[in-house]
Amino acid sequence: MALKLVLLALFLCLPASLSSTASKDKEHKLKYNPYRYTFIDKASTFSASSSSSFSSTGQDSTYDYIVIGGGTAGCPLAATLSRNFSVLVLERGGVPFTNANVSFLRNFHIGLADTSASSASQAFVSTDGVYNARARVLGGGSCINAGFYSRADAAFVKRAGWDAKLVNESYPWVEREIVHQPKLTLWQKALRDSLLEVGVRPFNGFTYDHVSGTKVGGTIFDRFGRRHTAAELLAYANPQKLRVLIYATVQKIVFDTSGTRPRVTGVIFKDEKGNQHQALLSNRKGSEVILSSGAIGSPQMLMLSGIGPKRELERLKIPLVLENEHVGKGMADNPMNSILVPSKQPIEQSLIQTVGITKMGVYVEASTGFGQSPESIHTHYGVMSDKNELFSTIPAKQRRPEATQAYTTRNKYQLQEAFNGSFILEKLAYPISRGHLSLLNTNVDDNPSVTFNYFKHPLDLQRCVEAIRLVSKVVTSKRFLNYTQCDKQNVHKMLSLSVKANINLRPKQVNDTKSMAQFCKDTVVTIWHYHGGCLVGKVVNPNRKVLGVNRLRVIDGSTFDESPGTNPQATVMMMGRYMGVKILWERLGNKAGV
């Protein structure tokens, strides 16, 4: 049975026509431009003599802001800053607009399983033995996730020290452009009714707000199944002041260390042809490089640039700019487990629409009805593959990344579709267990080593057991019996099926499915909501300025010590807008006009 999609269960991209509420700045779109916006181009178009598209207007060839990473936070941030200042965005991936695997809900799983060099998704395996992915595309994680949109709660905003009024203005700025109300499928309706039946109440209807009970959230998929990503928030930009380079892989941040504090002067990046370039910051007061490369990319880039644990940098012969033992520390990932629920008949495809939010910090969701063909993808035979059970042939001690890659290469074209049904998912909010990130080498294209330490803290494991018991009640509720083909006597068969899916590289206790704790350990996967590595108070201050250096910030999920809401993308996009406005206010006050 093709238990390939359990990562599907992990959710989390092409835009349709822009909404009628859009601003007049959308006139700069080219009708037949594959990049959609005139300010987007390949990195190889950059040259030292014309490093700024504004030099022809009499300005110099430098930028007020250089944003490293055109992702979920980077796009709204750059669009906002460009209202008043020159901005250069350097994105290592391509555009989502002509990528069918990104654009359409029906291809969600295919985009994740694609391991080609041009894929929008870059796979990695944590040292915990759990498959994972990071985005490599303009729009970031909003291009490869399951599209669910839900705001953070007021308590998160308060703990972050944010201005609640500006937060509540920044969310709608995102929502007007790319967020939709989903049309519930029958399965999602059954999940809604089952959650209410087992006591996950009240029913809060359709809402973006994070509230306890059962609700229907927003989605970045429209009614035609087309994805709208953070890249579309660039429609808000001033096209005369923004330049976005794709396939621009930043190698390091450049510092002037002649003064009392290291001072950022620019960045070095390589283009799609392998040529290196240097982009320079303006000398004007307030100019900054802003890291928005995500919870993996941002701490990695700081260390590659000489900011991080001294011993680790010395090991790789990276010149030390500033010692900070906290870079790469405090990494966390919300552990997710799922139960595979076979169906009697074909099921309509759906990603996350309904969610149950419990007071014990457990979120219950579902995805349904996905399939794929052997010709459609390059696969890593992970949670997306019906062949993932073959990983059991690799001895545990040999399950190093290189061994895994060699195995998948040999078996590249054996994929077949066989599973029809649903994945009922539970995610733990606020995990106590923490991990770390470290460099394996100095090649920015390679994934660093990441450890999340799933369930290392006993309270996380205890909460997972409670969550699996809740999901077991959901799948055996009266509302679900017509879909599940099971009753309360064979829930353990479903648990066993989930364990045998072999959706990770962790050792399994296949014959111990009556132990909920063992089931949690055996079937843990990611939901891609990992965060940390550049925490506030440790690596950056509350304004996201990097401690100990000048002209450098980090604005993305690496600064979070918890994942906001049921799914973080809404808050990460909001934060890009929020921080952009705050920065403009810092420099211009009321003259910022935002």
Side-chain angles (χ1 to χ4, degrees):
M1 180 170 287
L3 307 174
K4 56 183 213 43
L5 294 199
V6 171
L7 174 29
L8 249 197
L10 312 185
F11 4 119
L12 285 227
C13 352
L14 183 115
S17 59
L18 297 172
S19 68
S20 58
T21 61
S23 69
K24 61 182 180 181
D25 294 307
K26 294 177 183 176
E27 296 173 0
H28 63 278
K29 285 176 29 180
L30 282 183
K31 187 174 182 180
Y32 300 108
N33 183 358
Y35 300 152
R36 179 168 286 214
Y37 304 107
T38 58
F39 47 71
I40 299 176
D41 214 334
K42 289 184 178 180
S44 58
T45 63
F46 185 92
S47 67
S49 61
S50 60
S51 62
S52 169
S53 57
F54 324 115
S55 56
S56 61
T57 64
Q59 301 184 36
D60 59 28
S61 58
T62 60
Y63 294 88
D64 294 306
Y65 295 98
I66 299 175
V67 179
I68 304 175
T72 313
C75 284
L77 173 66
T80 300
L81 293 175
S82 74
R83 304 307 302 176
N84 299 94
F85 294 100
S86 61
V87 181
L88 173 66
V89 176
L90 299 172
E91 167 53 47
R92 70 188 185 120
V95 295
F97 311 121
T98 54
N99 187 335
N101 287 350
V102 166
S103 305
F104 300 104
L105 183 149
R106 65 177 181 269
N107 294 339
F108 163 67
H109 57 305
I110 297 176
L112 288 172
D114 182 2
T115 59
S116 65
S118 61
S119 173
S121 173
Q122 181 178 1
F124 69 95
V125 181
S126 71
T127 64
D128 314 279
V130 173
Y131 298 108
N132 215 313
R134 51 193 292 218
R136 182 171 52 193
V137 61
L138 188 68
S142 68
C143 296
I144 63 172
N145 64 20
F148 193 71
Y149 183 96
S150 183
R151 298 179 178 184
D153 60 10
F156 177 92
V157 172
K158 184 176 182 179
R159 287 192 296 270
W162 288 341
D163 179 340
K165 181 176 183 295
L166 181 56
V167 165
N168 291 330
E169 292 170 353
S170 298
Y171 275 121
W173 184 89
V174 173
E175 292 154 7
R176 285 192 296 269
E177 194 69 21
I178 65 171
V179 186
H180 304 265
Q181 180 174 350
K183 179 181 179 181
L184 289 189
T185 64
L186 292 177
W187 191 286
Q188 296 288 340
K189 291 178 180 178
L191 174 62
R192 174 198 64 194
D193 295 342
S194 299
L195 286 166
L196 294 172
E197 181 180 328
V198 301
V200 185
R201 300 171 181 158
F203 180 55
N204 296 302
F206 168 71
T207 180
Y208 296 146
D209 293 335
H210 183 82
V211 285
S212 295
T214 296
K215 75 166 198 173
V216 176
T219 177
I220 58 174
F221 289 100
D222 65 23
R223 62 193 179 96
F224 302 108
R226 299 189 76 178
R227 183 189 293 265
H228 299 264
T229 76
E232 290 184 60
L233 298 176
L234 294 172
Y236 284 113
N238 178 349
Q240 278 70 51
K241 289 187 175 292
L242 177 63
R243 187 176 189 188
V244 177
L245 296 181
I246 55 175
Y247 308 116
T249 304
V250 174
Q251 307 296 292
K252 67 176 183 177
I253 301 165
V254 181
F255 294 90
D256 175 2
T257 57
S258 62
T260 56
R261 283 167 59 103
R263 178 177 181 271
V264 174
T265 59
V267 303
I268 293 175
F269 68 94
K270 70 176 179 180
D271 63 28
E272 74 278 8
K273 298 178 181 179
N275 298 318
Q276 286 201 344
H277 308 268
Q278 183 168 6
L280 299 175
L281 272 182
S282 166
N283 285 323
R284 286 185 286 273
K285 183 180 180 180
S287 295
E288 294 176 315
V289 166
I290 303 177
L291 256 176
S292 293
S293 300
I296 304 299
S298 287
Q300 178 189 29
M301 182 53 59
L302 285 180
M303 287 189 275
L304 289 174
S305 303
I307 299 178
K310 182 177 181 180
R311 182 175 299 179
E312 181 167 352
L313 301 186
E314 289 178 342
R315 174 176 59 85
L316 294 173
K317 296 180 171 56
I318 298 173
L320 182 68
V321 172
L322 179 73
E323 182 178 5
N324 187 328
E325 296 295 324
H326 300 292
V327 176
K329 302 301 192 298
M331 298 291 295
D333 190 17
N334 299 83
M336 190 189 78
N337 299 81
S338 64
I339 294 181
L340 310 185
V341 186
S343 175
K344 300 175 184 178
Q345 54 193 3
I347 295 175
E348 184 179 0
Q349 289 181 328
S350 71
L351 291 173
I352 314 308
Q353 297 179 336
T354 299
V355 61
I357 301 172
T358 73
K359 293 182 179 179
M360 64 180 177
V362 171
Y363 308 144
V364 180
E365 303 169 330
S367 66
T368 63
F370 282 83
Q372 62 192 44
S373 65
E375 298 83 13
S376 62
I377 61 170
H378 303 283
T379 178
H380 56 57
Y381 291 91
V383 286
M384 303 302 297
S385 169
D386 71 312
K387 295 296 181 181
N388 51 35
E389 66 268 22
L390 295 177
F391 267 127
S392 61
T393 64
I394 303 179
K397 292 183 179 180
Q398 297 179 24
R399 292 177 184 175
R400 303 181 309 277
E402 57 268 33
T404 301
Q405 183 59 48
Y407 183 83
T408 61
T409 300
R410 290 196 303 269
N411 295 277
K412 197 170 190 178
Y413 297 108
Q414 296 181 11
L415 180 64
Q416 295 179 7
E417 167 60 16
F419 183 70
N420 180 65
S422 169
F423 302 89
I424 307 298
L425 326 166
E426 60 80 12
K427 162 194 166 181
L428 291 189
Y430 323 120
I432 303 172
S433 305
R434 288 290 187 270
H436 54 86
L437 176 151
S438 59
L439 299 179
L440 293 174
N441 55 45
T442 58
N443 185 351
V444 69
D445 294 317
D446 291 344
N447 292 311
S449 172
V450 186
T451 301
F452 293 115
N453 287 323
Y454 299 103
F455 301 127
K456 183 176 182 179
H457 197 286
L459 289 181
D460 289 343
L461 187 60
Q462 179 182 332
R463 290 171 60 222
C464 179
V465 170
E466 295 171 354
I468 294 299
R469 287 174 177 158
L470 173 62
V471 172
S472 298
K473 292 179 181 178
V474 169
V475 299
T476 56
S477 66
K478 292 180 180 180
R479 299 284 188 174
F480 246 61
L481 290 180
N482 289 336
Y483 295 89
T484 60
Q485 298 183 341
C486 77
D487 55 33
K488 294 183 180 180
Q489 280 67 48
N490 63 19
V491 167
H492 289 299
K493 291 182 180 179
M494 295 168 60
L495 297 180
S496 179
L497 190 65
S498 302
V499 173
K500 291 177 181 177
N502 219 11
I503 55 178
N504 56 42
L505 294 179
R506 295 163 69 87
K508 303 290 190 301
Q509 300 294 327
V510 177
N511 298 320
D512 191 19
T513 57
K514 292 187 178 181
S515 168
M516 293 290 190
Q518 191 62 50
F519 177 84
C520 288
K521 295 176 182 178
D522 287 351
T523 64
V524 63
V525 288
T526 183
I527 200 171
W528 308 329
H529 296 171
Y530 48 82
H531 49 280
C534 298
L535 295 178
V536 174
K538 301 294 182 67
V539 179
V540 299
N541 69 15
N543 291 322
R544 271 49 181 187
K545 292 184 178 182
V546 176
L547 300 172
V549 301
N550 293 334
R551 309 213 305 172
L552 180 61
R553 297 194 202 222
V554 181
I555 298 177
D556 58 29
S558 70
T559 65
F560 291 162
D561 63 0
E562 62 182 278
S563 182
T566 53
N567 301 65
Q569 73 164 343
T571 301
V572 176
M573 287 189 281
M574 181 282 297
M575 179 174 65
R577 169 63 176 178
Y578 175 95
M579 289 303 301
V581 172
K582 293 280 283 187
I583 291 170
L584 293 181
W585 285 352
E586 285 177 13
R587 292 189 70 170
L588 301 174
N590 293 334
K591 295 180 181 179
V594 292

